[in-house]
Amino acid sequence: MTQTTAAAVPQQEARLAPGSPGDRAIKRRRVLDILDAAGRDSLLLTSNTALTWYLDGSRVHISLAGDPIAALLVARDGDHLVTFNNEAGRIAAEELPLGVNLHAVPWYANLHQAAAAVGNGALPPLSEAEVAAELRAARQHLLPAESARYALLSADVARIMTDVLSAARPDTTEFALVSALAARVVAAGAEPLVLLCNGSSRSTFRHPLATHAPLGRRAMAVVCARRDGLVANVTRWIRFDAGIPGERDAESRIAAVEADIFDATVPGTRLDRIFTEIQAAYVRHGFGADQWEQHHQGGPAGYAGRDPRVTADATDTVVLDQAFTWNPSGPGVKIEDTVQLTESGLRILTVDPRWPVATVNGLERPMTLQL
């Protein structure tokens, strides 16, 4: 195993490691607190969610569908990032935060075993699975620099949605629409993790992968885009006619369901309590008691699309500066934005002032764009 540092390879003009030294110091302290509570000397981070959070936005993937190409040992003597020899140059030049020791192993080595062996503690390192709840809690409170990066990404994604959907026509195909969205997301330096679209012929599907079908009279698009480790999630609807009364009524009622969820998202509330409120909100606004069963309802956001999805078993507690993406849905309707809970209330992050909105319980919420 060879070792290098960020200083060993000249920084490239194309990209600098995004991490904030101030934020990273707080994150390291949070992990050391986890080690103290467990009576251990090190923790092995292996998932993309944990790695991008702890490294404050470093890209540690090649394939979006594959495992990370790095593992990190957080030990009392420092942070040790282990990667393959064919990845080490790029990692050192563009992704390695200051103060992180980089170790290269052959491309055929067992990455996790190699990272665990870097430590010198008497006990093997903790795994993520052993402290999953503690790591989620450490990620909840977004720090200043990552909050700023999240807001910029979310605004970029909202603008991309406006630009692309405004140019759509009834004969535009679903594939053409998501292709245009993907191109713009990548051009913004982000990775399109999820791209969904349904035209009017497929409006019953709540996770509609695109097809060659034309949009027709009405369409939904969904983008989940990742940049610097953070994931922004947004859903938007367009319509090429005035709509029908039942459709417009359902759109108004699903926004009311979301407003009730927003009201329940306050510091100190457990996620399972919010889940109970979600179930009641569907009934309250005329969708029926079974609608929550037809699609997941969202939850905390940040370095994972949902961290975690809210269920009756989710007992994490809401904190200030935490991000959320709730996505209530009903037959032919859905609403979704990425928001952050601040001292002054919920702040909508995925916002573009050009998109039409209606005020719902004091917040501007997206309407269907009529073209």
Side-chain angles (χ1 to χ4, degrees), residues 131-284:
V131 287
E134 291 86 348
L135 282 172
R136 279 202 312 275
R139 293 192 293 267
Q140 286 178 327
H141 179 272
L142 295 180
L143 296 165
E146 61 188 344
S147 293
R149 292 198 302 270
Y150 210 2
L152 287 174
L153 167 65
S154 297
D156 284 349
V157 173
R159 284 192 292 269
I160 289 168
M161 284 291 241
T162 301
D163 291 344
V164 172
L165 295 183
S166 296
R169 297 295 178 263
D171 61 350
T172 301
T173 67
E174 296 167 349
F175 272 137
L177 189 74
V178 299
S179 296
L181 289 170
R184 289 290 303 276
V185 167
V186 173
E191 298 130 16
L193 301 185
V194 177
L195 292 169
L196 304 176
C197 181
N198 61 14
S200 55
S201 67
R202 304 176 63 243
S203 61
T204 59
F205 301 132
R206 303 202 192 192
H207 268 169
L209 293 175
T211 71
H212 289 292
L215 300 182
R217 57 170 292 272
R218 181 172 180 259
M220 176 187 77
V222 178
V223 172
C224 303
R226 182 176 67 194
R227 189 170 68 199
D228 297 333
L230 293 157
V231 183
N233 314 286
V234 61
T235 293
R236 292 291 183 264
W237 290 83
I238 56 174
R239 184 161 49 214
F240 298 97
D241 59 20
I244 57 179
E247 185 178 273
R248 295 195 299 270
D249 175 65
E251 291 169 352
S252 176
R253 288 187 290 115
I254 204 65
V257 172
E258 183 197 51
D260 288 352
I261 302 172
F262 283 166
D263 281 347
T265 307
V266 295
T269 303
R270 284 188 354 184
L271 293 182
D272 56 350
R273 306 290 175 81
I274 298 177
F275 186 64
T276 299
E277 176 59 27
I278 291 172
Q279 293 171 305
Y282 278 110
V283 176
R284 189 180 303 125

